[in-house]
């Protein structure tokens, strides 16, 4: 992952806060390379905003079996015939890798795509969107980001 995102800050959740640095964050070039030293820092998170420029494939390849998410925020259109209005918050698409929940806490051997509507879900809009792309809604609404 460091080769794919070399200029980002990585947050090591597996260590106590360093009182001198007051941070759990490490630049990619300061992360240890020995597996034992690196394991002591796990889990390690990276949260990056990048343009959609083909970064997705190298990211997923580098990910291996670790959990991760790629999110594309946006605003769904008004659908007046169904009484649906756009919501400026919480809307978008999220692909979750190696987990089956939006917070990627439950490991899984595949990926799940979540279509975010509002903070509380909007099943009619989800069904309308699925119809637009020849798909269907799977499962019940869940609380996400």
């Amino acid at each position: 992952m460091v080769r794919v995102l070399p200029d980002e800050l990585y947050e090591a959740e597996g260590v106590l806060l360093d009182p001198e640095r007051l941070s759990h964050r490490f630049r990619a070039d300061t992360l240890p390379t020995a597996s034992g030293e690196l394991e002591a820092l796990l889990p390690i998170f990276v949260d990056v905003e990048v343009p959609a420029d083909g970064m997705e494939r190298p990211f997923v390849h580098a990910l291996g079996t670790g959990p991760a998410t790629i999110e594309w925020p946006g605003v769904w259109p008004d659908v007046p015939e169904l009484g649906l209005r756009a919501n400026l918050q919480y809307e978008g698409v999220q692909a979750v890798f190696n987990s089956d929940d939006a917070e990627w806490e439950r490991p899984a051997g595949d990926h799940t795509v979540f279509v975010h509507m509002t903070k509380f879900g909007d099943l009619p809009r989800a069904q309308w969107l699925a119809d637009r792309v020849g798909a269907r809604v799977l499962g019940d609404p869940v609380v996400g980001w």
Side-chain angles (χ1 to χ4, degrees):
M1 191 59 66
V2 168
R3 282 190 291 266
V4 175
L5 301 168
D7 300 321
E8 304 306 329
L9 289 176
Y10 290 78
E11 188 164 334
E13 294 287 318
V15 294
L16 296 175
L17 184 68
D18 179 342
E20 289 182 24
R21 295 178 56 233
L22 296 177
S23 176
H24 289 98
R25 294 181 179 221
F26 295 83
R27 287 189 341 261
D29 63 342
T30 65
L31 283 168
T33 55
S35 66
E37 292 175 29
L38 192 57
E39 279 182 41
L41 301 177
L42 296 177
I44 296 174
F45 297 94
V46 61
D47 186 2
V48 182
E49 287 191 29
V50 296
D53 61 358
M55 170 76 91
E56 296 90 343
R57 187 175 301 271
F59 174 82
V60 172
H61 181 72
L63 179 62
T65 60
T69 186
I70 297 177
E71 300 164 0
W72 297 271
V75 177
W76 301 118
D78 290 334
V79 186
E81 63 271 21
L82 296 178
L84 301 174
R85 298 191 48 83
N87 183 331
L88 299 179
Q89 288 186 311
Y90 309 112
E91 295 187 344
V93 176
Q94 175 187 18
V96 179
F97 301 92
N98 302 314
S99 180
D100 65 1
D101 67 296
E103 303 299 326
W104 31 290
E105 294 175 352
R106 288 190 312 260
D110 55 10
H111 69 278
T112 304
V113 175
F114 293 91
V115 179
H116 294 271
M117 302 297 150
T118 68
K119 188 173 184 176
F120 304 103
D122 184 345
L123 191 54
R125 182 181 297 281
Q127 292 169 330
W128 181 85
L129 286 167
D131 289 345
R132 304 280 83 62
V133 296
R136 61 187 173 93
V137 174
L138 303 174
D140 295 322
V142 295
V143 176
W145 33 261

